[in-house]
Amino acid sequence: MKYIIANWKANKNYEEVKQWIDSFLSYNLEPYSHKVKVIICPPFPFIPYLSEKIKSSPFIKIGSQDLSQFDGGTYTGEVVGKSLFGLISYAIIGHSERRQFIYETEEIIQKKIDQALQNNISPILCVRDANDKVYDLVDFIVAEPPNSISTGDGFGVSLGLEDVLKMKDTLGITTQKLIYGGSVNEKNATTYLRSDAIDGVLPGGASLDPKRFYSIITAVD
Ligand code: PGA
């Protein structure tokens, strides 16, 4: 089973989301339904709409790109695990863009992992290098060095297979699933998806176009 995780980041309006999902669901996904788990991580406002749309496709799940470190209560604007409970199965936590631009610390990330687990949400933890902590309780670790992340089109400088496997060792990944992220696109997805040591990929830019995202899924064959 390979995990293919779409990270839409801060992109798309409601009209674009409707077009994306209608177009994506029109592709022949059936041959892949037992080989992949597709996790779509849109901006928060689109989670309920997309959850409804994918309801009859059990191999497609919805995730969030973040969740609050807080339990709930007087934290205006925060999206807490309790609000997401039952709506999503996965949450990306500790993405390098949040560590860099929102100044998320290891302490905050740890609280977010706890919040996710308390609310039946599986954390997809992004780590940049061996300085970022890897947690035993987390099911998914995304190895994603910041300089491999694209500027938005999915065509940056991706890591070669050897380097991803080296990262697996340096990060100390043993029981967790290893996901590779950083300029994964329709041209290089096969490299990662055909390796037994890699459990999946997390494309950002290339997931914004349903056709390109579908091509990545077809790369599992
Ligand atoms: P990218 O983004 O595929 O556009 O490099 C990946 C990510 O940052 O999650």
Side-chain angles (χ1 to χ4, degrees), residues 7 69 97-98 188 192 198 203:
N7 178 11
Q69 65 180 301
E97 287 154 9
R98 297 198 62 85
N188 62 20
Y192 310 111
I198 299 177

Side-chain angles (χ1 to χ4, degrees), residues 7 9 95 97 144 148-150 154 182-184 202-205:
N7 178 11
K9 307 190 180 183
H95 191 281
E97 287 154 9
E144 193 171 65
S148 74
I149 295 175
S150 82
S183 298
V184 174
L202 185 146

Side-chain angles (χ1 to χ4, degrees), residues 24-195:
F24 180 65
L25 294 175
S26 73
Y27 295 122
N28 186 15
L29 290 158
E30 218 290 314
Y32 307 98
S33 61
H34 298 288
K35 297 180 188 167
V36 300
K37 188 139 267 179
V38 175
I39 304 170
I40 303 167
C41 302
F44 285 122
F46 308 124
I47 288 174
Y49 169 74
L50 288 170
S51 303
E52 194 58 31
K53 292 292 271 191
I54 52 96
K55 207 162 64 196
S56 55
S57 310
F59 64 101
I60 308 177
K61 301 282 178 202
I62 304 298
S64 66
Q65 297 171 20
D66 182 39
L67 88 176
S68 176
Q69 65 180 301
F70 303 114
D71 193 36
T74 52
Y75 300 101
T76 302
E78 285 292 283
V79 180
V80 296
K82 279 178 189 156
S83 305
L84 293 164
F85 175 83
L87 275 173
I88 55 165
S89 321
Y90 302 91
I92 297 173
I93 293 175
H95 191 281
S96 66
E97 287 154 9
R98 297 198 62 85
R99 295 185 196 246
Q100 187 188 344
F101 302 128
I102 327 279
Y103 310 110
E104 273 188 12
T105 60
E106 205 59 67
E107 193 192 349
I108 293 173
I109 288 165
Q110 195 163 350
K111 287 183 183 161
K112 290 185 172 193
I113 293 170
D114 289 344
Q115 285 300 323
L117 294 172
Q118 279 172 34
N119 288 287
N120 223 353
I121 296 167
S122 178
I124 300 171
L125 178 67
C126 298
V127 296
R128 299 166 293 186
D129 55 36
N131 293 318
D132 291 343
K133 244 185 119 190
V134 154
Y135 299 83
D136 287 343
L137 284 170
V138 166
D139 289 333
F140 299 89
I141 302 290
V142 186
E144 193 171 65
N147 53 12
S148 74
I149 295 175
S150 82
T151 52
D153 61 2
F155 289 113
V157 184
S158 55
L159 279 195
L161 182 59
E162 290 286 292
D163 288 325
V164 179
L165 300 182
K166 241 183 254 163
M167 252 187 115
K168 182 176 187 170
D169 284 345
T170 51
L171 295 173
I173 295 172
T174 47
T175 53
Q176 304 94 336
K177 293 190 172 27
L178 171 69
I179 309 294
Y180 170 67
S183 298
V184 174
N185 57 49
E186 62 279 30
K187 297 205 159 49
N188 62 20
T190 315
T191 313
Y192 310 111
L193 293 172
R194 301 245 171 113
S195 164

